[in-house]
Amino acid sequence: MVPIKIKKKHYFLKEGQINEYAGFVVKGALRLFSMDENGTDHILQFYIEDWWAVNMKSYMSRKPSDFFIEANENSELFAVPRDKFEVILEIPAFKEMFWYINQNHHIATQRRRDHAIHLSALKRYENFSLLYPQLVRRFPTSQIASYLGITRETLTRVRKGLSN
């Protein structure tokens, strides 16, 4: 593993680059997002301590990424180069941890999709803030709104309604 420090607003991965490293977040917060033709961010994932920051599609296929991974805070990661990943998976404890994290990520992705289809903006935010209170505290309203698939204004109204 290679230690990497990323300053706030700097990138771990840029669109068009091949994701050569999976980064285990030791300190900090990052986000994975795409940007549309109007310059609007569409956030797909947040990463904080003890989470893996990676565009798995690019990392495993060795094809250019469609996404950016940017630090929202000064961050420190331990990065695993793609060519060492399979070697590390031979370590039983690492393999078990990888599958545990992978399963949880899959479940969270399904939950997010289901919530986007079936729940109101209010319920999506309530569920998100209950499951991930640390993310609510560390990421700006505009980014949380993007992740939830709602506008910043809608999220502001939802939060105001909850505080009343």
Side-chain angles (χ1 to χ4, degrees), residues 4-149:
I4 295 177
K5 291 185 179 189
I6 305 169
K7 291 183 180 183
K8 182 178 181 175
K9 299 289 182 192
H10 286 82
Y11 294 94
F12 178 63
L13 175 68
K14 290 183 179 178
E15 180 183 38
Q17 293 179 331
I18 295 173
N19 197 156
E20 299 287 350
Y21 295 92
F24 183 77
V25 182
V26 176
K27 179 182 175 187
L30 304 98
R31 65 189 178 116
L32 178 131
F33 68 99
S34 64
M35 192 178 300
D36 67 21
E37 62 277 354
N38 297 321
T40 303
D41 292 357
H42 300 277
I43 297 176
L44 291 127
Q45 187 68 49
F46 294 117
Y47 308 108
I48 58 172
E49 290 83 6
D50 300 328
W51 294 10
W52 286 92
V54 64
N55 175 350
M56 194 58 78
K57 179 181 171 186
S58 175
Y59 186 69
M60 298 307 284
S61 71
R62 297 182 182 181
K63 296 198 174 175
S65 175
D66 296 329
F67 303 102
F68 298 87
I69 299 177
E70 180 184 43
N72 268 45
E73 302 171 1
N74 290 336
S75 300
E76 298 175 13
L77 294 78
F78 282 125
V80 179
R82 175 64 180 94
D83 62 341
K84 303 292 185 205
F85 185 71
E86 277 140 25
V87 173
I88 290 174
L89 277 181
E90 292 175 15
I91 301 167
F94 189 87
K95 186 174 186 175
E96 184 177 330
M97 178 186 69
F98 172 78
W99 285 112
Y100 175 78
I101 290 169
N102 199 31
Q103 288 169 359
N104 285 340
H105 176 72
H106 184 70
I107 291 165
T109 299
Q110 279 188 315
R111 181 187 312 118
R112 180 176 176 213
R113 184 187 60 232
D114 293 346
H115 287 182
I117 293 169
H118 300 291
L119 299 180
S120 68
L122 170 63
K123 290 305 284 179
R124 275 186 266 169
Y125 178 71
E126 285 178 334
N127 287 339
F128 179 78
S129 61
L130 286 171
L131 286 169
Y132 307 109
Q134 68 278 30
L135 298 180
V136 173
R137 289 188 301 272
R138 294 174 72 178
F139 288 90
T141 301
S142 60
Q143 291 180 7
I144 293 169
S146 172
Y147 179 82
L148 294 173

